[in-house]
Every structure is written in C-alpha cells, then in structure tokens.
Amino acid sequence: MNYWNEKHTYEDVALVFSRYIKNLEDREKIHQAYLYAETCHQGQVRASGEPYISHLIEVSYIIATLGGGPSTLVAGFLHDTIEDTGITFEDIASRFGEDVAFLVDSVTKIRRLSRKNDSEFVAEGHRKIFLGMAKDIRVIIIKLADRLHNMRTLQYVRKEKQERIAKETLDVYVPIAHRLGIYKVKAELEDLSLFYLEREKYLYIENLLNDSQGERMKTMISLQKKLADMLMKTNIPFEITSRVKEIYSIYKKMYVKGRKFEEIYDIMALRIITETELNCYEILGLIHSIYKPVPGRFKDYIAMPKPNMYQSLHTTILGNDGNVFEIQIRTKKMDEIAESGVAAHWRYKEGGKYDAKQEQKEIEEQLHWFRDFVSYSDSDQSNEAKEYMDSLTHDIFDANVYVFTPKGRVIELPEGSTPIDFAYKIHSGIGDSMVGAKVNNVLVPLSTKLVTGDIVEIKTSKSSTGPNESWLNLAKTNNAKNHVRKYLIKKNQEFLRTEGIEKGKSILVEAFKENGVHEREIPNYINEKFINSFSHTTLDDFFFGISQKNPAISTVIDKLNLKDSKMSREEIISSYIKRTNSRNQNKGSQAVIVKGANGIKISLAPCCSPLPGDEIRGYITRGQGIKVHRKDCPNIQNEINRTIDVEWNPNFLLSQFPANLIIDSNDRENLLIDVMNVLSTVKVLCSHIAAKLHPDTLTTTISLTIQVSSVSNLNYVIQQLMSINGVYDVKRVIK
Ligand code: MN
C-alpha cells in the first residue's frame, strides 16, 4: 500500500502533460516555471531532507494527472514562492501573467490561514477554501494536489502535527474532494488520514485484506471469466476491471456501522466499462438473467446522477458458489468522471477557444450545490467559526432541496425555501412581477415550503404590484430578501408621491371652502396657465407641490385674490359665464362633454362604470339622455347607430366614480379585514363587498365596488390590493 512514496522528475511531469498540451509555447512556459521555482527555492529542504523542488514536482505531477492546463501547472510549480521565498505577486505577474499570479496568491492566502493551530483555523480554513474556490476552481485543484503530497510525506513531521494535519484533511479536504467527485484524490486522502489517526485499526484491516486476498482473487477471477464469456457472445464492447475497496471505507463499515469483515460484500467489486448508456443497461439485463440480484442493492445512478456528477449502474449478485459480488457498469466517460469528478470536465482542452471563465461557469452549473454555497459564504460573516463548523455538514451538504422548473431545469435552494426564493433565483424580474405560484400544478400560498422533486411554476403579471413587506418573512435566501428590499424602497417613493397628491388636493379644497368657493367650482380657477405660473406642468405635480408647501396654499389663495375679492354676486356670475364660454364647453361640473350638445342629460352607465382615463362612447337612450359607456363595453357593441362621440371634461376634477373589482386570493383568515384595511389606507370608499369561498381549490373570490377618481387612481388601488398576502389577481369587471 505504499503508493504514496512514488518519486518523479520534471520529465515525468512533462510526459503526462505533453499528452494533452501540444502548444510548444505553453510547454516552454511550464518548463520555465519549473526552472524558476528551482532557483527560488534553492537551498531549501523538506522535512524529509529532500530538496524543496521535489514537492513542487510531485504537486505538478498530480495536477497533470488531473488534466490541469498550462496556468494551473505553472502555478503548481510556483505555489509556495510567495510564502517561502522573496518573490512577490508582481514578480510572478510580470514573468508569468496575472492569471498565474492570481492562482498563486489565492493558494498562499489559504495556506496562511491554516497556520493558526486551533479549532478556529479549521472552520476558518473551510470557509476561505470555499471562497477561494468561488473565485476559481483551479485554486482548489492546486490546493488538493498540495495537500495530497503533504499527506504522502507526513511521516517526516512530528506526531502532533501528523494528527492535526490528518484530522484537517478528513474534515476539510476530503469533503471537498468528495463534493467535486475527485474520487482518486479523495480515497487516497482518506486512507492516509486513517493511517495517521487510527494506526492500529488501519494495519489490522490491511492484514485482513492481505490474508483473504488469495481466496478473493480466485473467486473474482472465476466470475470475471464467466462474465467475459457471456459478453463475448454479444456485440457489446466491454472491458472488465476489478478494484479493492479502500481501507477507509472498510474501516467505516466495521467501526461505524458495526459490520464484520466477512459481511462486507463489496470489498472487491467488478467494474464493466462499455461504450454507451444503452450498453450499460443491456449488460445489466444479461447479468440479471444469469445471476440472482440481491434485492434492494440495485442503484441506477445513470438516470439519477449523484450531485457530484457520478454516474454508474450498481448491482449486487449472488454468485453460483454462494459468494456475493458488487458489479458496477458504466461508460468510459462515466468512469473518467467517477475517478476525476469535476476535473474530468475541467480538464484542459487545447485547440478550441479555451476560456477559463466560461469553463468555470459550466462546472458550476454541473454542480448544483456550488453557487448557493458561494453566496452563503459571502453573506454569513457574523457566524462564529465554531458554529460554522457544526452547521457545515447539515446546512451546506445536506439541507438543500432540488426543485424543477416546468421545463425540467433543476434549481437548488436551501431547505425552507418558498416560491419567492425560487422566483428570484431564476430572475429578479420574475420575482418582482410574481402574482402567484403553482407547485405540482396546484395553486399554493407563497409561504409554501418547497421540497425536493417539486415542479414549481411562477405566475407573473405586468400589472403585478410587486413584492410587499411580508415577503421578507417568507423568503429564505438573502438573494430574494435583497431584491424585495430594493423593490420596496422604490415603491415607497411612489406611494409617498400618490399620498402627497391626495394631500395637496384636500388642502386646496379646504382652503377654497374657507374662502367661500365650492369644490365643484375649483376647476374654474385652476387652469393650465395658473399651474404653469408656479412652475408645475401637470395637475398632479401642482397638488404634490402644495403638499410640500411648494407653493404654500396661502400663496395660491393670495394669487387668486379670493380673500379680498368683494365682487358682487352679479360680477361672480358674469365672470363664471365668461370663463365657461371662453372654453366653449359645457359646464365644468359635467364629467363628460358631448360636442355641440349643451344641456343634454348625461349619466355614466352602471354596467361598465367608466372612469376618467377610459376610452368612452355615448349611447343615446330613449328618453333618458346620454348614457356613457366604456368603448369596449359589450352592451353597446351592437348599437353603433345610437352611439356618439363623447369625451371627458378635462376641467372636471376631484370627483369620485364607482368601479367594480373582483379579487382572487388564496383563502386565509383575516383576508377581508386586510382588504378593508388597504382600502382605508388608500382612502377609498367601498360601497359593496361580497366574498365567496371555493372549498375545492381553497381560494376565495371577493367582489367589491369602490369609489375612485380616475383610471390611474384605480390602478393604484389595484396595485395595493395585489400586495395583500395571498391575493394573486385583481380585475376590473363589467357587470
Ligand atoms: Mn506546497
């Protein structure tokens, strides 16, 4: 088992990387890095007494066997220069480029943190390693190679250090290698750690393996031959290899799960490597037709890959001699991923446009867990290092849910996430315009906790009011919470403006009343010219201005000269007539104008309840004057002959019109109270309200009639109603 004492030369490293790095300039650059490292570390020796360069050669050799590209290999040779020699970041950057300097710098930072010898450093090291990884996966590959070689040469350091390093390796590096699926490195690190932490048990298991080896080999070879005979008769390409379970996993089965050595089935497993996925299933079928599979031991990781991308078929069969064997069936590509994990994807490819960033992104997408981990590490600065250590396994490695978009894309979220987290994870625009969510095709409240396997569909609407305060409690991820907060700040500004307009309006009405002018006469005084004279362009701006004392209401009243006006009644009437005549219009108190038809009785149709801002048509009734409908009201569509052009009186202000609404909501307690509260907050009168529960869908329909001043006023009210928790649709309706 002394595979950790191999010694290599630079030529060995070059032999490995030359298989996939063909560019001569790149090869030369790596050679230069080797020569430069040798010069820089001149005179330094390892604890083993060997020159320091031996470590750098071995680290780079491991990187090369994982398929590392030129920058990674160069950085492999230089990874200890900043810390152990006088070389600086700038030296490396000018000689080998910024990319390499960045890699060396990142490795150095991780190493400095590991220096501290307490439990703090382990957890802190964890975090920094992951943070480093967040920036570039190559940093972790270098760090893993570095640790692997240090573990291989651990015999030369003193005992306390051996135990500390071995423990850190198990706690920190093994999980990372596992999560990245780099099985080769993971298995070796585990065995090495065990060797230093539980020497006696390690040697005991090693002896058991050696003693039973002869017997095991005999049965194995016999099975291998039978399988080969069987497969030869088909046209399926295959290759059979066998592997011995590593000591650490046997140790776990024996000492953690309490099994006896003889009870461990898969100490030796046969592996059949073939070409296509279909071949894998064909081979499995053939094996099962001849050997009896052990129930419950078949695993299809091809259809359901592990999160670290591992794919394979596993089955355990009962041999004719009563022995039990595990057989793994996979394609060549799957085998490569099983051994090298993320490195198999990351593996340097020459020729095509190599883009480290793009490749990194692809890897992150392959590893579901990756991205959330990164944001977790970034945001969670306050956690005690120790606490972090305790929660690491649970929070990061286990407590994630995997849900699907309707198109089958996998989205990973932390446990306890709701549709709000899902929506914002897909796109902030989707979160902001969300009006409801379906989980597995059923409409659900936004507070629903998602579980693995859920298919989540987000309902969006252009007229959505966007997120509200309560979403902050429903969202689990910081990503969603931050977006909601951002949105609320923006919306609050809009809300303040609407409130200001209303406030300015009522200040004006009040002031006019005090000066003996009735509300309905106000339009006669406030016209465009008057508004412009205060540097406002629209009526809303003017009202909002008044609420901000710009202008102060006293200034407005003074300018109109109302207080001092001692006009006679006749004068007032004549000026009134003059004003209305000069506009060549109906009276300002009429909401709708019919061109060229003064004195006709005009009323608003109750079916569609038109509001200022709606497109409208007049309908000439028989004997009841003109009824004004919305242009699209179905009740007048077949009556074109009896309709005439009408328009809203632009001078008719400050009045209220009825509007009919339907609210669709998930049913919950206090829903109606919340609706009424919102209406009172926006100062809207409600003249009718009725609710109907649909028990089969657990939804409620509320119909109501409210009093509003215009279409934009109504839209604002609808927005506010949409922000009520559970409400997913608010529609204006025609009765
Ligand atoms: Mn090193």
Side-chain angles (χ1 to χ4, degrees), residues 262-524:
E262 301 77 41
E263 292 169 359
I264 304 172
Y265 297 146
D266 51 353
I267 283 181
M268 204 159 183
L270 277 185
R271 184 173 297 160
I272 304 175
I273 294 167
T274 182
E275 231 133 73
T276 67
E277 262 183 40
L278 185 63
N279 292 154
C280 294
Y281 290 105
E282 284 170 343
I283 292 172
L284 180 79
L286 282 168
I287 293 173
H288 281 181
S289 71
I290 296 180
Y291 297 98
K292 201 173 151 39
V294 177
R297 298 270 306 173
F298 168 63
K299 298 212 177 65
D300 184 352
Y301 294 117
I302 291 179
M304 290 291 278
K306 292 187 184 180
N308 65 13
M309 304 189 287
Y310 178 87
Q311 284 189 297
S312 189
L313 296 176
H314 289 190
T315 185
T316 303
I317 55 158
L318 208 55
N320 296 336
D321 48 6
N323 281 315
V324 174
F325 302 92
E326 183 179 272
I327 299 176
Q328 305 170 345
I329 308 161
R330 53 177 81 147
T331 65
K332 263 200 188 76
K333 177 76 187 159
M334 292 173 193
D335 192 52
E336 205 172 273
I337 291 172
E339 292 296 311
S340 308
V342 75
H345 280 261
W346 158 88
R347 191 157 287 173
Y348 178 72
K349 290 171 217 82
E350 221 170 40
K353 280 168 273 149
Y354 175 74
D355 179 351
K357 282 235 166 69
Q358 179 57 28
E359 201 148 51
Q360 166 111 355
K361 217 181 121 212
E362 281 164 18
I363 293 165
E364 285 172 24
E365 266 162 23
Q366 299 267 3
L367 295 162
H368 313 315
W369 57 279
F370 193 94
R371 215 166 320 154
D372 245 22
F373 192 86
V374 172
S375 63
Y376 180 94
S377 319
D378 272 339
S379 60
D380 189 41
Q381 297 294 348
S382 61
N383 246 10
E384 289 292 317
K386 225 182 152 111
E387 229 175 87
Y388 175 83
M389 188 67 176
D390 293 341
S391 65
L392 183 82
T393 319
H394 179 70
D395 284 0
I396 307 308
F397 288 171
D398 298 331
N400 282 328
V401 293
Y402 300 91
V403 297
F404 298 92
T405 66
K407 284 185 177 161
R409 194 175 132 208
V410 178
I411 302 291
E412 184 181 2
L413 293 165
E415 198 177 75
S417 292
T418 62
I420 296 173
D421 299 292
F422 178 90
Y424 279 104
K425 179 115 184 190
I426 291 178
H427 192 270
S428 64
I430 297 205
D432 284 347
S433 60
M434 168 161 70
V435 292
K438 277 183 167 178
V439 170
N440 305 323
N441 249 337
V442 178
L443 215 49
V444 297
L446 295 184
S447 56
T448 306
K449 301 234 183 309
L450 300 176
V451 297
T452 294
D454 279 349
I455 298 167
V456 187
E457 187 184 346
I458 300 298
K459 303 224 148 267
T460 61
S461 159
K462 272 184 203 146
S463 62
S464 149
T465 55
N468 63 60
E469 213 93 20
S470 69
W471 287 24
L472 290 174
N473 295 324
L474 300 179
K476 166 95 179 172
T477 57
N478 285 328
N479 175 43
K481 285 183 183 175
N482 288 339
H483 277 114
V484 171
R485 265 187 218 109
K486 224 185 269 171
Y487 188 95
L488 288 177
I489 289 167
K490 201 175 144 237
K491 194 167 99 177
N492 194 33
Q493 285 161 353
E494 282 167 22
F495 176 69
L496 287 177
R497 178 170 160 83
T498 314
E499 277 223 310
I501 291 169
E502 290 301 318
K503 195 177 155 202
K505 213 185 260 186
S506 66
I507 291 172
L508 190 85
V509 169
E510 210 50 44
F512 270 80
K513 214 189 268 172
E514 272 173 31
N515 288 284
V517 180
H518 190 272
E519 184 175 338
R520 68 171 171 270
E521 286 173 25
I522 295 176
N524 299 326

Side-chain angles (χ1 to χ4, degrees), residues 46 52 55-56 59 76 79-80 84 107 111 142-143 145-147 149-150:
R46 298 268 296 169
Y52 202 86
H55 170 63
L56 306 170
V59 168
H79 78 268
D80 283 326
D84 293 341
V107 174
R111 184 175 151 190
I142 297 169
K143 207 50 211 160
D146 181 41
R147 175 52 57 110
H149 184 245
N150 286 337

Side-chain angles (χ1 to χ4, degrees), residues 198-210:
E198 298 271 9
R199 184 73 55 94
E200 271 175 36
K201 285 174 185 156
Y202 179 96
L203 295 174
Y204 175 67
I205 295 169
E206 197 179 40
N207 273 332
L208 287 174
L209 279 174
N210 289 340

